């Protein structure tokens, strides 16, 4: 990208928000539209034990994947992950931390679904939004966790009463009216007198939520010459359903968090909301993380795997169906950029929610489309994607951004084509890098032609130009309720072409869509 005329779109508009130092970082992940999701998948009410255990398994995988997470707390379709105060995970870049967490959590959720629901098909892709909140000291961390557990108790207490009333024959509206204005003791009496239920005997996982952390355990290594066991203390990830509001738990686990007094009423003031500026086109760029390793594990073809690219395109098409405010998308290799219309009110332009839900939803589509695109290749490692949000005030700048990405596609693909042709010819990877060092585009074309009789311009356009995903008119349909008035029908198309002025002249409706 050096000396490119399009370089200014990065230099002048992209920025990284770094989280403040010496602050504990909490990433809270929350299911998107999980009322509908739980209904579609017939989750038990008021609590589905298998669904909660799946969430706990995902949280456990998060602690295994990200060592800087020291504690996690979850309830229902929500999980909070506490990163240690000194973490330098991704240099504390907010967009990286947030998008990676929701993406990996989603990926594991889909991958582990069959473990917890072996007889239930995943009928709709799950996805999650998230937010990052920074807390300046241990006191506020403890207060935050206490707040979430109090919220767990309040919600579960209400839901237990509500669903018992509904199951007894009341309508949902009648159940809401019955519980309106009731206190905790009123609900306990209702459960006891009408349903012979002692709320305190309900499973702790429902009442207290789930805490995930590393526990000190002793393991026997071997015995000495006298038959005495030789033990070693190690840290093992555990899930427990305990009271974390009072001091007892923290006194027993001082190595996790230091003991402080707690008060949880004021923690919300730290939850700052960043909204995207008005009258700007938002671009969400999603990129696969550790993709070299992922493609190696799954034996992707080099320099390009057409099937893997088709999977990315299929996921992008589904994104445009899920989010009507996306007017255009462009992708190549392991990345995709989604352009949202200028006046989108998605999540009230809440940056973190847009960022995390897009990252999570794309991951979910990628996971669920895998079997269809790769019917004979097992998914052995969960993919993960990071994302960032960019804002541009004019369509011309958005077009320049897309031209920059397409120029990057050409540069990378031309280099990779030369590199892998050299490697396949028997040259070592280090030597191939040295041969290509400092070469210009014309030098690479000559190398391909002279050594491998390959005309680079004949390489498939998908590899050279990337993929444009957008809506196009496919005809008209008659609407009976509109008295036969014809209505335009649009479909999502994927094409591989130059995004120069000619393309935009032929598709003026893209930036003029309402």
């Amino acid at each position: 990208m050096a000396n490119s005329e399009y370089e200014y779109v990065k230099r002048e508009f992209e920025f990284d928000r770094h989280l403040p130092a010496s602050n504990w970082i909490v990433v809270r992940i929350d299911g998107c539209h999980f009322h509908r999701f739980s209904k579609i998948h017939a989750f038990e009410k008021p609590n589905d034990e298998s669904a909660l255990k799946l969430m706990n398994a995902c949280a456990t995988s998060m602690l295994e994947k990200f060592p800087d997470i020291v504690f996690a707390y979850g309830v229902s379709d929500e999980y909070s992950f506490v990163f240690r105060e000194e973490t330098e995970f991704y240099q504390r870049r907010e967009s990286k931390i947030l998008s990676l967490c929701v993406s990996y959590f989603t990926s594991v959720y889909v991958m582990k679904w069959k473990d917890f629901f072996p007889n239930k098909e995943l009928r709709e892709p799950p996805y999650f939004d998230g937010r990052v909140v920074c807390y300046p000291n241990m006191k506020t961390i403890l207060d935050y966790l206490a707040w979430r557990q109090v919220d767990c108790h309040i919600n579960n207490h209400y839901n237990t009463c509500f669903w018992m009333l509904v199951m007894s024959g009341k309508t949902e509206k009648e159940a809401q009216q019955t519980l309106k204005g009731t206190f905790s003791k009123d609900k306990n009496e209702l459960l006891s007198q009408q349903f012979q239920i002692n709320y305190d005997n309900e499973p702790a996982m429902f009442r207290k939520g789930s805490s995930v952390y590393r526990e000190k355990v002793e393991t026997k290594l071997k015995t000495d010459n006298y038959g005495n066991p030789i033990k070693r203390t190690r840290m093992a990830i555990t899930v427990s359903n305990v009271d974390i509001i009072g001091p007892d738990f923290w006194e027993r686990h001082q190595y996790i968090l230091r003991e402080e007094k707690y008060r949880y009423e004021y923690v919300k003031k730290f939850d700052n909301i960043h909204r995207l500026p008005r009258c700007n086109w938002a671009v969400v760029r999603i990129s696969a993380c550790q993709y070299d390793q992922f493609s190696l594990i799954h034996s992707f073809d080099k320099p390009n795997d057409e099937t893997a690219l088709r999977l990315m395109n299929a996921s992008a098409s589904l994104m445009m169906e899920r989010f009507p405010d996306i007017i255009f998308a462009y992708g190549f290799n392991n990345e995709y950029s989604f352009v949202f219309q200028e006046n989108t009110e998605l999540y009230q332009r809440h940056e973190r929610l847009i960022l995390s839900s897009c990252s999570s939803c794309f991951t979910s589509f990628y996971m669920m489309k895998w079997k269809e695109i790769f019917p004979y290749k097992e998914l052995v490692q969960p993919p993960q994607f990071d994302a960032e949000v960019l804002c541009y005030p004019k369509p011309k700048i958005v077009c320049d951004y897309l031209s920059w990405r397409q120029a990057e596609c050409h540069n990378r693909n031309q280099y990779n084509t030369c590199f892998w042709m050299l490697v396949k010819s028997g040259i070592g990877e280090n030597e191939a890098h040295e041969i290509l060092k400092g070469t210009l585009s014309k030098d690479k074309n000559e190398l391909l032609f002279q050594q491998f009789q390959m005309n680079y311009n004949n390489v498939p356009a998908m590899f050279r130009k990337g993929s444009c995903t957008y809506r196009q008119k496919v005809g008209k349909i008659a609407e009976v309720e509109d008295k036969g008035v014809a209505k335009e029908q649009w479909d999502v198309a994927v094409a591989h072409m130059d995004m120069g002025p000619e393309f935009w002249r032929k598709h003026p409706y893209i930036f003029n869509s309402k």
Side-chain angles (χ1 to χ4, degrees), residues 166-202:
V166 170
M167 291 177 200
S168 71
K170 286 185 180 292
T171 65
E172 294 190 8
K173 190 173 182 179
E174 289 172 339
Q176 288 171 347
Q177 281 300 121
T178 301
L179 295 171
K180 189 174 181 180
T182 56
F183 295 102
S184 182
K185 66 175 183 178
D186 303 322
K187 297 183 181 72
N188 283 337
E189 288 178 8
L190 184 151
L191 290 172
S192 176
Q193 293 175 9
Q194 292 194 36
F195 305 106
Q196 293 73 54
I197 291 175
N198 184 339
Y199 182 73
D200 292 338
N201 292 336
E202 289 293 289

Side-chain angles (χ1 to χ4, degrees), residues 246-268:
D248 292 348
F249 175 83
W250 302 112
E251 287 176 356
R252 296 195 305 271
H253 302 83
Q254 294 185 28
Y255 56 89
I256 300 176
L257 304 174
R258 294 194 305 273
E259 180 188 0
E260 295 282 351
K261 294 180 180 179
Y262 60 90
R263 183 169 64 85
Y264 48 82
E265 292 87 355
Y266 65 100
V267 295
K268 286 187 178 180

Side-chain angles (χ1 to χ4, degrees), residues 215-223 229-236:
E215 180 81 89
K216 290 181 178 179
V217 296
E218 280 193 346
T219 55
K220 179 182 175 181
L221 297 179
K222 57 183 178 179
T223 56
I230 299 176
K231 297 181 180 180
R232 183 180 67 180
T233 300
R234 66 181 183 88
M235 305 300 286

Side-chain angles (χ1 to χ4, degrees), residues 195-374:
F195 305 106
Q196 293 73 54
I197 291 175
N198 184 339
Y199 182 73
D200 292 338
N201 292 336
E202 289 293 289
M205 178 165 59
F206 304 160
R207 293 182 293 109
K208 299 179 181 295
S210 298
S211 299
V212 185
Y213 52 93
R214 295 174 183 86
E215 180 81 89
K216 290 181 178 179
V217 296
E218 280 193 346
T219 55
K220 179 182 175 181
L221 297 179
K222 57 183 178 179
T223 56
D224 60 21
N225 295 333
Y226 302 100
N228 299 315
I230 299 176
K231 297 181 180 180
R232 183 180 67 180
T233 300
R234 66 181 183 88
M235 305 300 286
I237 297 173
T238 186
V239 179
S240 65
N241 313 112
V242 295
D243 184 358
I244 57 172
I245 296 177
D248 292 348
F249 175 83
W250 302 112
E251 287 176 356
R252 296 195 305 271
H253 302 83
Q254 294 185 28
Y255 56 89
I256 300 176
L257 304 174
R258 294 194 305 273
E259 180 188 0
E260 295 282 351
K261 294 180 180 179
Y262 60 90
R263 183 169 64 85
Y264 48 82
E265 292 87 355
Y266 65 100
V267 295
K268 286 187 178 180
K269 72 178 183 181
F270 294 96
D271 195 355
N272 295 320
I273 295 177
H274 299 281
R275 298 189 189 278
L276 300 177
R278 295 284 176 185
C279 300
N280 273 251
W281 277 266
V283 178
V284 176
R285 187 167 74 230
I286 294 174
S287 305
C289 191
Q290 299 174 340
Y291 194 70
D292 288 338
Q293 180 191 39
F294 182 83
S295 61
L296 181 65
I297 289 172
H298 294 94
S299 303
F300 285 179
D301 292 338
K302 298 294 185 181
N304 295 286
D305 189 296
E306 184 177 351
T307 308
L309 292 175
R310 285 196 293 109
L311 175 56
M312 292 287 287
N313 292 340
S315 302
S317 297
L318 290 172
M319 286 286 287
M320 295 195 73
E321 293 175 9
R322 175 56 64 91
F323 299 105
D325 283 1
I326 296 175
I327 59 172
F328 189 82
Y330 174 75
F332 68 97
N333 194 15
N334 66 332
E335 79 167 51
Y336 238 102
S337 296
F338 297 94
V339 181
F340 284 80
Q341 65 178 357
E342 178 186 21
N343 296 318
T344 182
E345 284 298 322
L346 180 66
Y347 292 116
Q348 292 77 53
R349 302 180 76 91
H350 186 164
E351 179 182 355
R352 295 168 183 168
L353 298 184
I354 293 174
L355 180 80
S356 55
S357 61
C358 285
S359 174
S360 179
C361 201
F362 187 89
T363 305
S364 199
F365 286 138
Y366 190 94
M367 294 280 293
M368 295 191 72
K369 277 286 183 181
W370 179 275
K371 276 292 183 188
E372 179 183 329
I373 306 294
F374 286 107

